[in-house]
Amino acid sequence: MSAMPLEFFLFAAVLGMVAFGRVSTMVSALAGALVISVYKVLFSPFAEGAGMAGLLAHAGREWVGLANLLGLLLGFALLARHFERSQVPAVLPHYMPDDWKGPLMLLVLVFLTSSFLDNIAAAIIGGTVARGVFRGRVHVGYLAAIVAASNAGGSGSVVGDTTTTMMWLAGVAPGQVLHAYVAAVVALAVCAVPAALQQQAWSPIVKDAPPGVRVDWIRLGIVALVLLAAIAANLLSSLYWPALGAAFPLVGAAVWLALLLSAALRRPDWSELPGALRGAVFLLALVWSASMMPVEALPPASWPIALGIGFVSAVFDNIPLTALALRQGGFDWGFVAYAVGFGGSMIWFGSSAGVALSGMYPESRSVGRWLRQGWHVPLAYVAGFFAMLALLGWRA
C-alpha cells in the first residue's frame, strides 16, 4: 500500500487552520494555496506535467471554472442586493405562515428554485429572504439548511447543478439521475424541520409586512433578467457550445453583461463588491488548493464508495470527483449525483453555495459551529442515502 501523498496533509493543515486556527482565514487560505503550489512545482508533478510548465498547464485548465465562480459570486452579491431592495423580502411575511412552518416553507422554495437554477443563486435568494423575514438574525443551523436545500434541489436535475450537467454531457441520460430526488426529498425533510424550529426559536418570522411597502418591479425584473442570462449561458455552453464553454467563462460573463446593461434602469449597489471580493478570493484559494490534489482514481464502484464520496465532497471540489466517477464508470448515477451535490452541505466551504452564503453571514465561517448547530445536515445526508438504497436499490 503506497503512502498518502504529502499534498493531502498540506491541504488538511490548511483546512484545519481555516476551521480552528487563530490566524485570519483569508491568510490561511492564501498561504496554503501558495505553499501547495510551490511544493507541487518543486517536488510533485501536476497531472498536466512537472515544474512551472505543469503549473501553467494546470492553471490553463482550471482558469475558466475559477473565473466563472468569481463572476457568479460577485454578480450574485449585487443581485442579492437588487432583490433585497425590490422589497419582495419585506412583503413575503404577508404570504408565509407565522410559526415554524414559515421557515420550513422558505427551505422548500429554495429546494424547488434550485431544481432549475444555479445552487449559488438559490442559496443567495434564500439567504436574502431570510435576512428580511427574520430581522437580520439567522441561525447558523438554518443557514446550513438553506445550503442543503439548494444543493439537494439540483441533485436530480441535469440543469440544476454543474455536476449533473457534466453527467448528461458524458452520456448519462436525465432519467439516470432523476431518482436522486428520492434521497433529496428525504434529506430535505430530515434537516428542514429541525432547522425551521431552530430558526423560529432564535428569531421568529415577521408576522406581517410593514404598512405601505411597495414592490419595485423594475428591480425584480432585473433579478429575473440576470437569472435568465445565467440559465441561458449555462445551457448554451453545456449543450451547444461546449468547446467555447470550456475555453471562456460564459456564465459569469453573462451575469455581468446583464447587470451592466440593466444599470441604466437601477444602479447596482457597488459598495457590496469589496466584501464580496474578499469572500470570493478566499473561496478561490481553497478551490485552487483542492484542484491540485493528486486524486487520480476512485475505488471500484459500489454504494459504500458512493456514500463516502459525499463525505469527501464536504472538503473537496465535487467537479473533479464527478469527473473521476464518470471516467471510471459502473456507478449508479442517481447516488453519485445526490452524494456530490448534498455532501458538500455538511461543511460551510464544501460547496459554492455555502461559501457564497457565508459572504452574507460571516458568523457561519466556523466548522465547529456549522457542525454543532447544523447537526441535522449530516444526519439528513445519511438518511436520504439509505432511504434511496432501501427503496430503489443500487442500479449500476
Side-chain angles (χ1 to χ4, degrees), residues 124-141:
I124 288 293
I125 290 173
T128 303
V129 172
R131 184 158 58 190
V133 300
F134 302 126
R135 305 177 181 88
R137 298 184 70 241
V138 186
H139 195 277
V140 171

Side-chain angles (χ1 to χ4, degrees), residues 75-89 125 128 213-228 258-259 261-272:
F76 285 152
L78 298 178
L79 185 71
R81 189 67 177 138
H82 268 312
F83 186 68
E84 191 171 14
R85 295 178 67 182
S86 74
Q87 299 300 322
V88 169
I125 290 173
T128 303
V213 174
R214 292 174 176 266
V215 173
D216 185 338
W217 292 103
I218 293 180
R219 285 195 187 275
L220 192 60
I222 290 172
V223 171
L225 172 67
V226 174
L227 294 178
L228 287 173
L259 282 168
L261 289 176
S262 61
L265 299 175
R266 290 290 188 273
R267 180 179 177 275
D269 190 349
W270 302 115
S271 64
E272 292 288 314

Side-chain angles (χ1 to χ4, degrees), residues 210-386:
V213 174
R214 292 174 176 266
V215 173
D216 185 338
W217 292 103
I218 293 180
R219 285 195 187 275
L220 192 60
I222 290 172
V223 171
L225 172 67
V226 174
L227 294 178
L228 287 173
I231 294 171
N234 189 31
L235 290 175
L236 289 172
S237 63
S238 299
L239 302 179
Y240 302 106
W241 306 329
L244 181 58
F248 183 77
L250 284 175
V251 180
V255 165
W256 272 91
L257 180 62
L259 282 168
L260 293 174
L261 289 176
S262 61
L265 299 175
R266 290 290 188 273
R267 180 179 177 275
D269 190 349
W270 302 115
S271 64
E272 292 288 314
L273 286 181
L277 181 61
R278 287 192 294 272
V281 170
F282 168 76
L283 169 62
L284 294 178
L286 289 182
V287 172
W288 171 255
S289 296
S291 75
M292 293 185 286
M293 295 301 104
V295 183
E296 305 299 340
L298 297 172
S302 65
W303 70 258
I305 297 303
L307 177 67
I309 286 174
F311 289 100
V312 174
S313 184
V315 292
F316 284 97
D317 187 357
N318 57 9
I319 291 177
L321 286 174
T322 304
L324 287 172
L326 288 168
R327 187 188 312 157
Q328 185 166 309
F331 284 94
D332 181 318
W333 299 113
F335 281 88
V336 174
Y338 171 71
V340 298
F342 195 89
S345 313
M346 290 187 277
I347 296 179
W348 70 268
F349 55 76
S351 72
S352 300
V355 175
L357 202 59
S358 75
M360 299 176 64
Y361 298 93
E363 65 272 20
S364 67
R365 292 182 181 178
S366 165
V367 171
R369 191 174 181 185
W370 190 276
L371 291 174
R372 284 195 310 272
Q373 299 186 15
W375 55 268
H376 37 72
V377 174
L379 177 64
Y381 170 68
V382 174
F385 189 97
F386 282 105

Side-chain angles (χ1 to χ4, degrees), residues 50-133:
M52 285 300 299
L55 175 65
L56 293 174
H58 183 72
R61 193 183 73 173
E62 296 291 330
W63 86 268
V64 172
L66 294 173
N68 259 330
L69 187 55
L70 177 63
L72 288 175
L73 290 173
L74 298 182
F76 285 152
L78 298 178
L79 185 71
R81 189 67 177 138
H82 268 312
F83 186 68
E84 191 171 14
R85 295 178 67 182
S86 74
Q87 299 300 322
V88 169
V91 302
L92 275 177
H94 181 71
Y95 303 98
M96 298 175 71
D98 293 341
D99 57 7
W100 67 273
K101 294 188 289 295
L104 178 64
M105 177 185 290
L106 178 55
L107 293 175
V108 173
L109 291 175
V110 170
F111 178 94
L112 295 174
T113 301
S114 188
S115 66
F116 60 88
L117 192 62
D118 183 271
N119 58 353
I120 299 176
I124 288 293
I125 290 173
T128 303
V129 172
R131 184 158 58 190
V133 300

